[in-house]
Amino acid sequence: MSSSKLSVKDDFPPVDYETWRSTVEATLHGAPFEKKLVSHTYEGIDIQPVYTRRDELEGKDPSGFPGSSPFLRGSKPLGSVLNGTDLRQEHAHPDIDVTNKAILADLEGGVTSILIKLDTAARQGNPPSEVGASVGHDGVMAYDVHDFDGVLKKVGLDIIDVALDAGAAYLPAAATLAGVWDNRGVIPAKARGAFNADPLAALAREGKLPLSAATAMKQLADLAKWTSQHYPHVTAVGVDTAPYHDAGATAAQDIAFSMATAVEYLRAMTDVGMSIDDAAKQFLFRISLGTHHFLAIAKVRAARQLWARVIEASGGKPAGMKIHTRTGNRVLTQRDPYVNLLRNTVAAFSGIVGGADAVTSVPFDQAAQLPNDFSRRIARNTVLILDEESHLNCVVDPAGGSWFIEKLSSQLAESAWGLFQQIEAEGGMFAALKSGWIASQIDAAYAPRAKDIATRREGITGVSEFPNLAEEQLDQRPVDVGALRKAAADRQNAKSAEMKDLSLETVLPAACLKAASEGASISQLARAIGFHKSTTEMTAIEPHLFAQPFEELRDASDVWCTTKGQRPCVFLANMGPVAHHTARATFAKNFFEAGGFEVIGNEGFNDADAVSAALKASGANIAVICSSDKLYPEMVPAVAPALKAAGARSIVLAGHPADNESAWREAGVDRFIFIKCDVLATLRELLTDEGVLS
């Protein structure tokens, strides 16, 4: 047995940053270090290839301790160590009975809290008898205390947090949920949940509030004051970044918009007599996360730091921030949906590591259909594995101390704070939304990302990269929304006919609670407190789902295939030995399948006559010449004209033409495809030529 000891320090002596960098630059042979090794976020933050002690933040322990100001490291001293991650699953199936069964299955399977999303009609304060697509759309068809009771049947409301997504109808919905607590005998001290009043998010998403902005703010403030006085374990106010995140906002913009929204709400709450400290306790921030896990972790940490700064600047005591994270819709795909398992895992991981108080794990089929039992089970088990098998909750702020994460969190916070100050200069979040300033900021930030998606610099696995045209479609189970609408309308007519002329002497939440407990519907309460007497309107913030442009091409190809019996076709004109054409043939196949083209491959051809005959036999209108830069100068002048003569409407060459572009175009090449070219534009043009797109 050897008595020698391994000493990493002796075998690998320390190297200072300057020595390391000079060595790296020598290997780059004159290429700029910043261009080759430094990446950039869409906020404009530089991401260095390596972080060292030289990147340590200035000051004595600038990150503080978990549970203390500036709360960068968490809102609670022990984080989730004692109780684990609060797994808050979302339910939006229109059928009350189906929703209830799904909730009970989730709770039995380890879920610790639930979020109920009401359908579009209820969120706008409209009855189920309304004619239109809003009834049963994008949420549960629950309209009164009886419906809520059905949704929450057999749920232990004294131990389970129930959160709401009720859009503009947050006050009627809150009163209805409180009515369920009241009718079931759940004392206020035992009730748990989140009303999530967030009129600005509803305005941004829908482009319209069914009441004036001033009335909406007053109702939010009244609800917050009433909640703080009666329900110690319930929050009244939500600040949801989803409308901005799904539109393409950067992480810094998300944080800034949430801070500006919260400040708008704080002003309304203090106007009704609430102290800053009491008002701060009424907030739950709902933050959407993407798949850049380092940025997502830093985003959650930076948000806490800025909220502490906002409260301190407002004259309040240092306060932690309650955060609920969810996988953002913008990163989910309809195509190859099982890849969403990985995307969701990354976002859930980031939320837990970042110190979120509650995490929603999104089913992999969320973007394609209403989730089923299987996808829900996988979603909840994802977080349970992260907690119980990966033990993420056993460490408080596991990212803390990382020079990279600490620096990124600080840079993100400063970027967001600067943007927040700009919003305040614009007159606050409501004014900035109404004027279109917020939308313009998001559009400007999304433009370079949209370009990166189009060129596949930012690839989307299973959609723009490595698509599978033969993928099996999900087993969709259509919902008879028409029957559900009729049943809901009949149910409402039978239960609340005597309350159609509901009139409240006061719009305070207590009056709404009393009426809701007695059976008043959300729409009746909404009318009684001023809905539809005036409106607030703006241009809605348009969502930009990352995969959508490519998925639209695939959808068009599917329709064409159903109508014509086959997909639009591309013929690979592979020239020369396999070693010369295989790389570009693989590239071209991946390229065109992203647009829904069927790609006809082959082992290669040695001359123009053979390849042109094969093209003619294939019936394809598009030919893609694939070979090496070494063979192109000799082959292209002969092959391109032959392919044209054989009936090719479009000839594409795989590879950058460099100085040969003019000559090869003259020979008959119409387009060139290569890394960093505009894939999306090329596919659209060719699908239009084929008649697939109009």
Side-chain angles (χ1 to χ4, degrees):
M1 179 176 178
S2 174
S3 60
S4 62
K5 294 182 179 180
L6 173 66
S7 174
V8 175
K9 183 177 180 181
D10 293 337
D11 292 343
F12 300 95
V15 177
D16 60 57
Y17 177 81
E18 287 71 23
T19 302
W20 171 83
R21 176 155 176 166
S22 64
T23 302
V24 170
E25 287 179 331
T27 66
L28 294 176
H29 304 294
F33 177 91
E34 285 74 14
K35 183 176 181 180
K36 287 293 184 180
L37 296 179
V38 178
S39 58
H40 314 278
T41 72
Y42 290 103
E43 290 84 2
I45 297 172
D46 294 341
I47 304 297
Q48 299 297 328
V50 66
Y51 286 78
T52 66
R53 189 173 294 279
R54 65 195 292 274
D55 297 294
E56 192 171 19
L57 300 180
E58 296 180 359
K60 184 179 180 181
D61 195 17
S63 299
F65 290 93
S68 61
S69 186
F71 298 99
L72 188 70
R73 305 197 61 197
S75 296
K76 296 176 288 188
L78 293 179
S80 299
V81 171
L82 294 180
N83 300 316
T85 301
D86 178 9
L87 175 53
R88 178 164 299 177
Q89 291 303 82
E90 190 175 280
H91 291 269
H93 195 287
D95 191 310
I96 288 175
D97 292 334
V98 172
T99 297
N100 175 249
K101 290 176 183 176
I103 288 173
L104 295 178
D106 268 353
L107 294 175
E108 185 178 353
V111 168
T112 49
S113 63
I114 58 175
L115 183 145
I116 300 169
K117 185 175 185 179
L118 303 183
D119 74 353
T120 303
R123 296 200 304 269
Q124 295 173 346
N126 295 322
S129 57
E130 180 191 57
V131 177
S134 66
V135 180
H137 173 259
D138 193 28
V140 186
M141 298 173 69
Y143 305 106
D144 62 18
V145 70
H146 306 290
D147 291 346
F148 274 47
D149 195 55
V151 169
L152 297 169
K153 184 171 56 178
K154 296 183 181 180
V155 175
L157 298 181
D158 56 343
I159 58 173
I160 298 297
D161 284 50
V162 178
L164 296 177
D165 184 346
Y170 46 83
L171 178 52
T176 304
L177 177 57
V180 176
W181 289 331
D182 190 47
N183 290 349
R184 289 205 194 171
V186 178
I187 62 174
K190 291 282 190 179
R192 312 176 63 86
F195 295 140
N196 287 325
D198 192 0
L200 293 185
L203 177 62
R205 182 183 290 109
E206 305 293 340
K208 182 176 182 179
L209 285 177
L211 67 173
S212 70
T215 301
M217 288 295 184
K218 180 65 165 59
Q219 290 180 4
L220 175 146
D222 287 341
L223 177 61
K225 185 174 182 179
W226 177 74
T227 303
S228 69
Q229 293 170 346
H230 295 88
Y231 294 99
H233 301 298
V234 178
T235 56
V237 181
V239 177
D240 188 3
T241 68
Y244 318 111
H245 186 264
D246 289 343
T250 66
Q253 287 178 330
D254 256 12
I255 299 171
F257 298 157
S258 68
M259 293 302 120
T261 300
V263 167
E264 198 92 42
Y265 295 162
L266 277 174
R267 293 187 178 117
M269 294 158 77
T270 55
D271 284 347
V272 298
M274 294 186 73
S275 69
I276 288 292
D277 294 332
D278 287 342
K281 295 175 183 176
Q282 288 299 307
F283 282 85
L284 173 65
F285 289 79
R286 300 165 64 195
I287 298 178
S288 294
L289 300 180
T291 51
H292 187 321
H293 62 283
F294 288 125
L295 191 61
I297 293 167
K299 178 179 177 179
V300 177
R301 300 173 89 247
R304 278 196 301 268
Q305 182 180 3
L306 289 200
W307 180 236
R309 191 185 297 186
V310 164
I311 297 302
E312 182 181 4
S314 301
K317 298 176 183 177
M321 180 185 189
K322 296 175 185 174
I323 298 178
H324 168 203
T325 63
R326 178 193 188 276
T327 306
N329 289 327
R330 74 185 191 185
V331 300
L332 302 176
T333 65
Q334 295 183 41
R335 302 287 173 165
D336 210 350
Y338 296 103
V339 181
N340 291 331
L341 291 167
L342 305 177
R343 299 184 179 104
N344 178 63
T345 300
V346 171
F349 170 90
S350 303
I352 296 171
V353 172
D357 298 276
V359 173
T360 291
S361 180
V362 177
F364 67 82
D365 53 354
Q366 178 85 25
Q369 62 180 20
L370 288 167
N372 57 32
D373 294 341
F374 174 71
S375 63
R376 285 195 171 283
R377 180 172 183 267
I378 297 298
R380 61 181 181 256
N381 283 349
T382 298
V383 170
L384 294 178
I385 288 172
L386 292 173
D387 248 19
E388 298 179 12
E389 296 187 27
S390 300
H391 308 293
L392 292 188
N393 66 301
C394 292
V395 179
V396 180
D397 188 29
S402 160
W403 292 314
F404 172 39
I405 294 293
E406 297 286 10
K407 184 73 175 284
L408 183 58
S409 299
S410 176
Q411 291 174 310
L412 202 53
E414 290 308 309
S415 178
W417 187 256
L419 183 56
F420 163 68
Q421 291 177 314
Q422 291 182 51
I423 298 170
E424 287 295 283
E426 291 289 323
M429 188 64 181
F430 174 67
L433 269 175
K434 280 276 290 179
S435 68
W437 189 87
I438 296 293
S440 68
Q441 294 295 307
I442 296 174
D443 288 344
Y446 181 67
R449 190 192 297 270
K451 181 179 179 181
D452 287 346
I453 291 171
T455 59
R456 297 197 302 186
R457 180 177 180 178
E458 187 169 315
I460 304 170
T461 303
V463 180
S464 67
E465 297 275 18
F466 313 110
N468 178 14
L469 293 187
E471 69 178 273
E472 293 185 12
Q473 297 297 312
L474 294 170
D475 183 18
Q476 299 193 10
R477 300 171 185 174
V479 178
D480 189 349
V481 178
L484 292 176
R485 287 174 181 166
K486 183 179 185 306
D490 292 344
R491 197 166 62 238
Q492 289 292 294
N493 292 335
K495 291 177 181 175
S496 56
E498 72 278 5
M499 304 187 74
K500 284 186 176 178
D501 297 323
L502 176 67
S503 176
L504 299 177
E505 295 180 2
T506 173
V507 297
L508 290 175
C512 291
L513 167 59
K514 183 176 184 299
S517 298
E518 294 172 353
S521 68
I522 287 175
S523 62
Q524 290 168 337
L525 291 169
R527 285 197 302 272
I529 62 176
F531 274 48
H532 308 300
K533 291 181 180 178
S534 62
T535 60
T536 305
E537 298 185 17
M538 59 167 276
T539 301
I541 303 291
E542 182 182 359
H544 295 111
L545 309 182
F546 292 170
Q548 184 176 346
F550 284 95
E551 290 187 327
E552 287 175 347
L553 303 186
R554 294 278 295 277
D555 291 343
S557 172
D558 287 350
V559 172
W560 180 267
C561 184
T562 301
T563 304
K564 304 292 184 179
Q566 67 174 36
R567 296 187 182 278
C569 295
V570 166
F571 174 80
L572 298 185
N574 298 328
M575 303 304 300
V578 171
H580 283 264
H581 66 69
T582 187
R584 281 177 169 152
T586 301
F587 171 80
K589 183 176 187 295
N590 189 24
F591 186 107
F592 284 99
E593 285 184 345
F597 283 94
E598 179 184 344
V599 178
I600 303 171
N602 47 73
E603 295 300 318
F605 305 92
N606 293 319
D607 57 67
D609 290 340
V611 72
S612 58
L615 166 70
K616 195 167 188 178
S618 74
N621 297 315
I622 302 169
V624 185
I625 301 174
C626 300
S627 193
S628 64
D629 290 339
K630 181 179 179 180
L631 298 184
Y632 275 157
E634 176 187 348
M635 287 190 166
V636 171
V639 170
L643 292 173
K644 281 283 188 182
R649 182 165 53 218
S650 295
I651 296 179
V652 180
L653 185 137
H656 197 288
D659 297 335
N660 299 305
E661 181 174 356
S662 178
W664 290 349
R665 284 190 181 278
E666 187 174 342
V669 176
D670 300 295
R671 293 177 177 82
F672 300 90
I673 60 173
F674 44 87
I675 294 174
K676 295 184 180 180
C677 76
D678 194 330
V679 180
L680 192 60
T682 301
L683 292 173
R684 281 174 174 161
E685 290 170 3
L686 290 171
L687 285 170
T688 300
D689 290 347
E690 291 292 285
V692 177
L693 295 178
S694 57

